[in-house]
């Protein structure tokens, strides 16, 4: 029996040097790490392919062939080795770029071997690069009858002769000698959810006896990975719930007056539902931490306003924080307008607020005369002291860091309730993990009467027609956004693209007949604001911009969004950009310009945009295409744990299941004191030490 914590250098054939390589390449240090280094795919070793059956579409396969001859090609540094192998149905080419001498020394012309690898098509011929080779009379104990795992082998590992067979050999040895694997889930859970014990699951992961057992093993491992994340989140949430919050017990005059007399339109059912959810939280004397998700244009502002009115009804102040000055201004104007018939004091505080104005705000905040303060980061400065801040609304949360949010908490002895609004739709199951410590409300319905935005995918060939279309739209009084990508790595080129684009637009739309303005991140804030204002006020017909307009800007008269090099944007970002139009009552258009050579992914992204306007559906596709690490809105929080097997995009069902299990456990036993929960408590503690950091989530 080997101890699972044994260093791999003590395994037969490893030693210091190989162990060092494995550590640097894979962070593999102990037997446990080795056991959790899972194959990324399996080949069915019960079948041998005939050379005539092999095509480039096949995954990893094996076949038996005789080496006819070796042939070296190319000069020293680019040298490659070709081997021609044949069976009774045909010949095939094998190719190596490295380790040439080793291959020609070890394998002999005229002998037959078992080859396995991934067939490729090159120059209309099938070949296989760097195949693994096994002697026909190989040690029987190392011959696999069923499925065989294929592991990621890095280039460095290959150079140091740690190939597939070495990894497999190590694992075989470990299992042959026996290794004690402690169970990490309580027996009762294994029983209730039909989970394979960990030791068995690990064995099946590497050497599955059947496809069915492999699936059960995979399920068990994913279940555990996701379960412990949710258990940690449930615990964090539980601890938060112990924070006393202000109880907004009554629904008072402000709320009722606005609802009955001043609201400009009927609330959508989704808005009503979410307001109820918030009201319940606010009334409960437990600090609220709620994430409000709603597609662009779904009417989140109104919901936030109702929550703020509840705070005022209960004698508290409220504030709303936006990520940019422009957005803060827009919110301020919207809210001031909505409340104009009510006797409420609403003010705005941003970086450019003048000292005199600032002093008034500070004073009114402290003496309680100020009801609602709207602003940017300026709100969280230490100088800004509220008399009794009851509710903080944060718009477009992903622009705010965790630390900033924490600072708001400290504005009172009792932390204010927090409502975070985001228009970046995050698939439910991903939200459960990334924002798993926040309660989530979703506005899944747009206000009535919105016209669907017509989305068109076009290439350069259509450029003139599109200019013509833009002229028509301008002639009937509409405004147009033209957006260019800005990607950090190629900033220089991007700015050149933007400038070239701006020049070509001003040539096609000359002054004084047309006014075009430009906005990008390198401009001074004052210039940016001025350009933006030119467009917001309707003086400019066209705004050429980078993605700075992505968030929140509201110009109802803008009805056309042209996105240049659209293939360079992620799906969620395209959807966000498209959300800038379609805000008025006119028919709006989104034109996605791409080159006509597109990768499969890009094509799918364009098609998804053209076919769908549902932000959540789009986010699901985005998540599947890019994996959760790259999802917009998540970069800042990051994904603070590495998943070995589970996949946030694909394992939604398991996530939902383990979340409810975790919640139930923490509900019954918040501090995991019960005997049967000790195993959970210990495991959680160990995981926290190693790779978990729930504190940084959300
Ligand atoms: P977002 O969720 O993107 O922040 P907003 O709150 O800015 O959306 O609302 C978008 C637009 O829809 C605004 O012009 C707002 O006045 C309008 N709106 C919000 N709720 C309703 C409603 N229930 N009925 C009609 N229009 C609404
Ligand atoms: Mg908004």
């Amino acid at each position: 029996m080997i101890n699972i914590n044994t260093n791999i250098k003590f395994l037969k054939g490893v030693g210091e040097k190989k162990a060092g390589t494995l550590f640097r390449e894979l962070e593999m240090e102990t037997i446990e790490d080795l056991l959790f280094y899972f194959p990324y795919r399996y080949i069915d070793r019960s079948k041998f392919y005939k050379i005539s059956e092999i095509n480039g579409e096949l995954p990893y396969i094996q076949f038996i062939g005789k080496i006819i001859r070796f042939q070296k090609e190319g000069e020293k540094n680019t040298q490659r080795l070709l081997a021609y192998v044949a069976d009774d149905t045909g010949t095939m080419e094998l190719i190596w770029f490295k380790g040439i001498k080793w291959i020609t020394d070890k394998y002999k012309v005229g002998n037959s071997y078992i080859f396995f690898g991934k067939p490729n098509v090159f120059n209309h011929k099938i070949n296989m690069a760097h195949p693994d080779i096994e002697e026909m009379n190989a040690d029987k104990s190392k011959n696999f009858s069923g499925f065989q795992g294929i592991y990621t082998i890095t280039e460095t590992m290959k150079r140091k002769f740690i190939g597939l067979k070495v990894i497999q050999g190590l694992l075989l040895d470990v299992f042959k000698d026996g290794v004690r694997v402690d169970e990490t889930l309580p027996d009762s859970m294994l029983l209730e959810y039909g989970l394979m014990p960990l030791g068995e699951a690990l064995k099946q992961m590497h050497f599955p006896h059947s496809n069915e057992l492999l699936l059960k093993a995979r399920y068990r491992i994913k279940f555990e990975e996701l379960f412990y994340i949710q258990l940690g989140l449930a615990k964090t949430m539980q601890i938060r719930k112990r924070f006393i919050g202000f109880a907004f017990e009554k629904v008072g005059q402000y709320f009722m007056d606005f609802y009955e007399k001043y609201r400009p339109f009927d609330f959508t059912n989704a808005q009503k539902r979410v307001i109820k959810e918030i009201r319940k939280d606010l009334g409960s004397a437990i600090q609220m931490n709620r994430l409000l998700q709603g597609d662009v244009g779904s009417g989140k502002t109104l919901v936030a306003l109702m929550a703020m009115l509840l705070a005022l009804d209960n004698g508290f102040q409220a504030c709303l924080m936006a990520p940019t000055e422009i957005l803060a201004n827009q919110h301020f104007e919207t809210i001031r307008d909505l409340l104009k018939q009510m006797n409420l004091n609403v003010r705005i505080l941003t970086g450019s607020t003048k000292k005199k104005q600032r002093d008034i705000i500070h004073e009114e905040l402290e003496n309680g005369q100020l009801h609602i303060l709207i602003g940017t980061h300026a709100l969280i400065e230490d100088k800004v002291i509220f008399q009794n801040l009851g509710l903080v609304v944060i718009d477009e949360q992903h622009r705010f860091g965790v630390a900033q949010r924490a600072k708001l908490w400290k504005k009172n002895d009792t932390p204010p309730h927090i409502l975070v609004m985001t228009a970046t739709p995050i698939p439910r199951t991903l939200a459960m993990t990334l924002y798993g410590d926040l309660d989530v409300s979703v506005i899944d319905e747009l206000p009535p009467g919105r016209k669907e935005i017509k989305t068109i995918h076009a290439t350069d060939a259509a450029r003139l027609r599109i200019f013509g279309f833009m002229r028509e739209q301008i002639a009937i009084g509409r405004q147009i956004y033209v957006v260019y990508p800005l990607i950090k790595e190629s900033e220089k080129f991007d700015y050149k693209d933007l400038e070239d684009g701006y020049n070509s637009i001003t040539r096609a739309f000359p002054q004084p007949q047309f006014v075009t303005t430009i906005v990008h991140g390198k401009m001074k804030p004052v210039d940016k604001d001025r350009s933006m204002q030119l467009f917001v006020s309707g003086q400019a017909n066209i705004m050429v911009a980078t993605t700075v307009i992505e968030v929140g800007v509201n110009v109802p008269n803008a009805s056309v969004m042209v996105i240049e090099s659209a293939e360079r944007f992620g799906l969620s970002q395209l959807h966000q950009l498209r959300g800038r139009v379609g805000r008025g009552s006119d028919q709006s258009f989104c034109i996605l310009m791409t080159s006509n050579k597109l990768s499969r992914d890009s094509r799918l992204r364009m098609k998804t945009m053209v076919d769908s306007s549902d932000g959540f559906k789009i986010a699901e596709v985005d998540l599947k295409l890019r994996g959760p690490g790259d999802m917009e809105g998540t970069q800042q929080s990051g994904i603070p744990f590495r998943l070995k097997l589970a996949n946030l995009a694909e394992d939604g069902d398991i996530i939902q299941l383990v979340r409810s299990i975790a919640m139930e456990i923490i509900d019954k036993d918040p501090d995991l004191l019960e005997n049967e929960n000790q195993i959970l408590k210990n495991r959680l503690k160990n995981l926290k030490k190693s790779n978990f950091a729930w504190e940084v989530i959300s």
Side-chain angles (χ1 to χ4, degrees), residues 48 124 297 517 520 579 588 625 629 667 694:
F48 288 98
H124 307 293
T517 149
H520 59 76
S588 292
L625 280 178
D667 239 23
W694 284 285

Side-chain angles (χ1 to χ4, degrees), residues 265-268 271 295-302 447 450 583:
F265 24 62
D266 290 332
F267 287 56
T268 62
Q271 282 172 322
D295 217 336
V296 279
S298 60
K300 292 185 291 295
T301 318
L302 210 55
R450 292 280 163 80
R583 312 206 129 218

Side-chain angles (χ1 to χ4, degrees), residues 68-79:
I68 309 291
R69 68 188 164 94
F70 283 117
Q71 181 182 321
K72 283 180 197 163
E73 284 187 354
E75 293 305 309
K76 214 162 183 290
N77 284 325
T78 59
Q79 204 176 44

Side-chain angles (χ1 to χ4, degrees), residues 109-371:
V109 170
N111 284 3
S112 288
Y113 300 93
I114 304 172
F115 298 95
F116 45 123
K118 163 92 185 83
N120 297 304
V121 180
F122 187 74
N123 275 345
H124 307 293
K125 276 194 297 190
I126 306 281
N127 75 12
M128 194 180 267
H130 289 239
D132 276 286
I133 306 175
E134 202 168 278
E135 308 272 347
M136 289 290 282
N137 57 355
D139 175 3
K140 276 281 174 283
S141 74
K142 296 204 177 187
N143 262 354
F144 313 96
S145 48
F147 291 88
Q148 183 182 5
I150 305 296
Y151 300 80
T152 304
I153 306 291
T154 67
E155 285 305 315
T156 308
M157 285 165 69
K158 271 185 203 156
R159 265 204 310 281
K160 310 250 161 138
F161 303 110
I162 309 176
L164 192 54
K165 293 249 280 302
V166 172
I167 298 286
Q168 283 165 352
L170 292 178
L171 282 158
L172 265 180
D173 285 350
V174 169
F175 285 120
K176 214 160 55 190
D177 293 349
V179 55
R180 214 186 99 185
V181 177
D182 288 333
E183 184 50 61
T184 49
L185 291 171
D187 286 345
S188 56
M189 257 169 97
L190 298 187
L191 214 63
E192 186 164 355
Y193 301 102
L195 301 171
M196 194 182 260
L198 182 58
E200 179 60 21
L202 288 173
K203 208 181 283 177
Q204 292 295 336
M205 284 300 292
H206 296 288
F207 305 108
H209 285 151
S210 68
N211 199 30
E212 200 193 337
L213 287 172
L214 174 61
L215 288 178
K216 284 198 86 167
R218 287 174 63 86
Y219 185 81
R220 145 79 210 217
I221 305 274
K222 288 179 174 188
F223 185 101
E224 156 163 10
E225 264 192 307
L226 296 167
F227 169 73
Y228 275 104
I229 292 173
Q230 292 300 334
L231 190 68
L233 288 166
K235 222 161 160 268
T236 311
M237 244 170 140
Q238 174 64 35
I239 293 166
R240 288 248 185 97
K241 291 255 144 91
R242 291 177 207 168
F243 287 119
I244 307 282
F246 300 116
F248 295 175
E249 273 156 6
K250 62 174 191 261
V251 175
Q253 214 50 55
Y254 292 133
F255 187 98
M256 289 320 289
D257 276 356
F258 185 82
Y259 190 78
E260 278 165 7
K261 292 193 232 155
Y262 306 125
R263 90 187 126 85
F265 24 62
D266 290 332
F267 287 56
T268 62
N269 286 327
Q271 282 172 322
K272 281 188 213 160
R273 190 190 66 238
V274 169
I275 291 169
K276 268 190 208 140
E277 286 167 1
I278 293 171
R279 229 180 78 188
K280 198 159 155 245
D281 275 9
L282 295 178
S284 74
I286 290 168
Q287 190 223 2
M288 172 175 81
N289 276 284
R290 189 169 279 279
L291 177 71
L292 172 56
Q293 283 195 51
D295 217 336
V296 279
S298 60
K300 292 185 291 295
T301 318
L302 210 55
V303 170
L305 178 63
M306 296 313 287
M308 291 197 277
L309 292 177
L310 271 177
L312 308 189
D313 274 339
N314 288 273
F316 290 94
Q317 294 166 306
C319 73
L320 188 162
M321 188 157 77
T324 66
E325 202 153 328
I326 293 167
L327 280 175
N329 267 309
Q330 277 192 357
H331 276 311
F332 174 65
E333 277 160 26
T334 308
I335 286 174
R336 196 188 43 192
D337 278 357
L338 286 168
L339 298 180
K340 64 176 179 281
Q341 283 149 288
M342 292 168 71
N343 188 19
L344 285 171
N345 187 3
V346 183
R347 288 192 190 274
I348 178 163
L349 178 67
T350 69
S352 54
T353 304
K354 298 274 179 313
K355 166 107 174 48
K356 215 171 103 196
Q357 197 61 23
R358 224 171 248 271
D359 289 343
I360 298 176
I361 290 173
H362 287 170
E363 194 187 315
E364 288 186 352
L365 271 182
E366 281 196 71
N367 68 23
Q369 281 171 13
L370 189 50
H371 295 107

Side-chain angles (χ1 to χ4, degrees), residues 25-152:
E25 292 296 298
L26 306 176
E27 285 180 40
M28 188 188 286
E29 200 174 5
T30 62
I31 305 277
E32 182 172 9
D33 298 334
L34 174 67
L35 291 177
F36 278 88
Y37 189 61
F38 298 132
Y40 67 91
R41 77 163 107 232
Y42 297 84
I43 52 171
D44 181 355
R45 294 214 58 189
S46 57
K47 175 177 169 74
F48 288 98
Y49 279 79
K50 288 290 180 191
I51 288 181
S52 63
E53 293 176 305
I54 298 175
N55 62 57
E57 303 297 306
L58 288 172
Y60 271 72
I61 53 132
Q62 61 177 356
F63 71 96
I64 295 172
K66 184 196 273 181
I67 300 181
I68 309 291
R69 68 188 164 94
F70 283 117
Q71 181 182 321
K72 283 180 197 163
E73 284 187 354
E75 293 305 309
K76 214 162 183 290
N77 284 325
T78 59
Q79 204 176 44
R80 55 191 186 273
L81 174 70
L82 295 177
Y84 294 89
V85 292
D87 65 8
D88 51 7
T89 68
T91 350
M92 196 165 110
E93 217 174 86
L94 308 178
I95 184 162
W96 289 267
F97 300 97
K98 292 192 188 80
I100 291 175
K101 184 165 167 2
W102 194 71
I103 297 287
T104 48
D105 283 355
K106 188 154 182 206
Y107 302 102
K108 300 280 173 274
V109 170
N111 284 3
S112 288
Y113 300 93
I114 304 172
F115 298 95
F116 45 123
K118 163 92 185 83
N120 297 304
V121 180
F122 187 74
N123 275 345
H124 307 293
K125 276 194 297 190
I126 306 281
N127 75 12
M128 194 180 267
H130 289 239
D132 276 286
I133 306 175
E134 202 168 278
E135 308 272 347
M136 289 290 282
N137 57 355
D139 175 3
K140 276 281 174 283
S141 74
K142 296 204 177 187
N143 262 354
F144 313 96
S145 48
F147 291 88
Q148 183 182 5
I150 305 296
Y151 300 80
T152 304

